[in-house]
Amino acid sequence: MTYNLGAIGMGHWFERLQRSIQRGGRIAITKAVGLKSYEEKIGIMEKLGLGRENYFQINPGDPLPENFFQDIQLAYIASPNQFHASQILQCIDHGKAVVVEKTFGINKSEMDKVIDYIKKNNWYNKVHLHLHYLRKALTMSLPSLLVNATREYGKVISVAATFFEQENAEDRRRTWILKPESGGIFLDWIHPIEVLYKYAGAEFADCRGVETFIIRPEYDGVNPTAVQAVFNVKGRLFADSATVTIRVGKGFPHGVTCKTIRFYLETDAFLEINYADSEQEYNSDFRGTWQLWEVPDGKPRVVEGGIPSGATPYELLVRDIINMLEGGNNTMTIEDIQKIYEPQWKFQDVSKNVKPVSNESAIKIFIKAGIEKTSFP
């Protein structure tokens, strides 16, 4: 059976899904909703084989058109985050399965409202929250790597998760993600939290401190373009008083790019996982790298390493969608989702009165702390 999909928002996430659908089959994109006119989307519409009658232009905040829901089994939501909650509820009301990028809502109130509605309508196995770092080959190799490392070098005393993206044309077009109405940069970079919770067994507790930065005022001169947040964490593989320091941001100078999580261990060693860029993953067999480092006398040296293999996150997403549509269980429970987003809501509460830093020397210190291997948080 082929399942008909209606797309809500057609940015770069949709393009990646669309390419994976073409590779995997079983799903046909038959409807689309967007803010731009059909003429402005003519290139992708022709590529999808969608005529004007199957494209629906709406204004921000408008309800989804009734005709959009006709003859589809699935809706894919990749619109700006501020519209996700209302669009999910509309899809449930129309009896459609839903795949949602990144988040159900921009704050705890919206998230709770959507989850309550899913429970009320017994729709849990018809709504899939897509967090693509959970389906990266490197992430899925983490549990065994971490167990082996802690067995030899002791428990995790701290974690440094650094996700810096250098300035690029795509992000200059997508600065809406920095706005409070879309949840801001820390929500956009939920990925370190999802990986640490789901694959490292980290239970996030208090948010100990927050700093925010304006790395590139051209992106946004008021709202943060980068964040540093420190959390207490617990877990089977974590030592008492362990912490996680998350540093994320966009618009860094050219050459400053990093997608790394380091697990610092009790006996002068750390495990490091380095993620590949999504486009690089999609267009090659490269899935990132991992290294186990020892730090004798403060001089790190690699003692072991490897390169994982496997399908891309979007190829796995197509499989997850088919599984959901055919009655399979979700890859995450409601409790998982709530636990992953708890640190987000704590961050929002702690950071609401924090003023972003734009001082050049302070930004250099922030960058250096993120990329230095021996910079124990």
Side-chain angles (χ1 to χ4, degrees), residues 20-184:
S20 296
I21 285 173
Q22 287 180 329
R23 291 181 181 183
R26 305 253 355 241
I27 297 175
I29 302 168
T30 59
K31 300 280 184 74
V33 171
L35 300 179
K36 295 183 179 180
S37 68
Y38 182 83
E39 287 70 25
E40 291 174 288
K41 290 284 188 180
I42 190 69
I44 191 169
M45 291 298 103
E46 290 181 343
K47 189 176 181 180
L48 295 172
L50 294 184
R52 189 184 303 273
E53 70 280 4
N54 288 320
Y55 177 77
F56 305 89
Q57 182 181 9
I58 61 173
N59 295 314
D62 280 357
L64 298 168
E66 287 295 320
N67 288 344
F68 168 75
F69 292 105
Q70 292 179 5
D71 302 319
I72 65 170
Q73 289 80 46
L74 170 74
Y76 172 77
I77 299 176
S79 56
N81 296 335
Q82 62 181 305
F83 305 122
H84 286 194
S86 64
Q87 290 171 346
I88 293 167
L89 301 188
Q90 290 173 68
C91 291
I92 292 174
D93 283 342
H94 284 83
K96 308 303 176 183
V98 195
V99 175
V100 189
E101 287 289 348
K102 195 82 69 174
T103 183
F104 287 167
I106 64 165
N107 53 42
K108 187 177 187 302
S109 176
E110 282 194 354
M111 179 71 79
D112 288 346
K113 180 179 179 180
V114 171
I115 288 175
D116 289 346
Y117 206 73
I118 289 170
K119 290 179 176 178
K120 177 183 175 181
N121 289 274
N122 194 27
W123 210 246
Y124 174 65
N125 283 324
K126 297 288 184 69
V127 179
H128 179 78
L129 178 61
H130 182 228
L131 297 170
H132 71 285
Y133 269 75
L134 290 180
R135 300 299 266 156
K136 285 180 178 282
L138 184 58
T139 301
M140 291 187 285
S141 70
L142 177 59
S144 61
L145 294 174
L146 197 54
V147 166
N148 291 337
T150 55
R151 184 181 295 126
E152 185 168 357
Y153 296 98
K155 291 187 175 183
V156 178
I157 58 173
S158 62
V159 180
T162 302
F163 289 74
F164 292 164
E165 292 187 324
Q166 69 182 20
E167 180 190 13
N168 60 71
E170 183 178 7
D171 283 340
R172 283 197 298 271
R173 293 192 300 268
R174 300 175 63 246
T175 56
W176 57 265
I177 64 176
L178 304 169
K179 311 296 183 186
E181 58 265 29
S182 284

Side-chain angles (χ1 to χ4, degrees), residues 12 29 34 39 81 83 96 113 151 154 158 200 208-209 222 225 302 306 318 322 328 336 355:
H12 70 298
I29 302 168
E39 287 70 25
N81 296 335
F83 305 122
K96 308 303 176 183
K113 180 179 179 180
R151 184 181 295 126
S158 62
R208 293 178 48 177
V222 176
T225 61
V302 177
V318 172
I322 296 296
D336 285 337
K355 183 178 180 181

Side-chain angles (χ1 to χ4, degrees), residues 299-319:
K299 298 177 181 179
R301 63 182 180 89
V302 177
V303 294
E304 193 178 357
I307 302 173
S309 61
T312 68
Y314 276 84
E315 290 169 328
L316 293 176
L317 174 60
V318 172
R319 298 179 198 176

Side-chain angles (χ1 to χ4, degrees), residues 128-148 150 156 159 190-204 234-238 244 261 263 271 273 275 311 313 316 320 330-333 336 339-340:
H128 179 78
L129 178 61
H130 182 228
L131 297 170
H132 71 285
Y133 269 75
L134 290 180
R135 300 299 266 156
K136 285 180 178 282
L138 184 58
T139 301
M140 291 187 285
S141 70
L142 177 59
S144 61
L145 294 174
L146 197 54
V147 166
N148 291 337
T150 55
V156 178
V159 180
I190 181 72
H191 307 305
I193 297 173
E194 74 203 40
V195 170
L196 292 171
Y197 167 77
K198 190 69 173 172
Y199 283 89
E203 298 178 26
F204 284 75
K234 298 179 181 179
R236 182 174 64 88
L237 301 178
F238 291 81
V244 168
I261 303 179
F263 299 85
L271 173 69
I273 59 173
Y275 286 98
L316 293 176
D320 291 340
N330 250 315
T331 55
M332 284 194 296
T333 67
D336 285 337
K339 289 286 189 181
I340 287 170

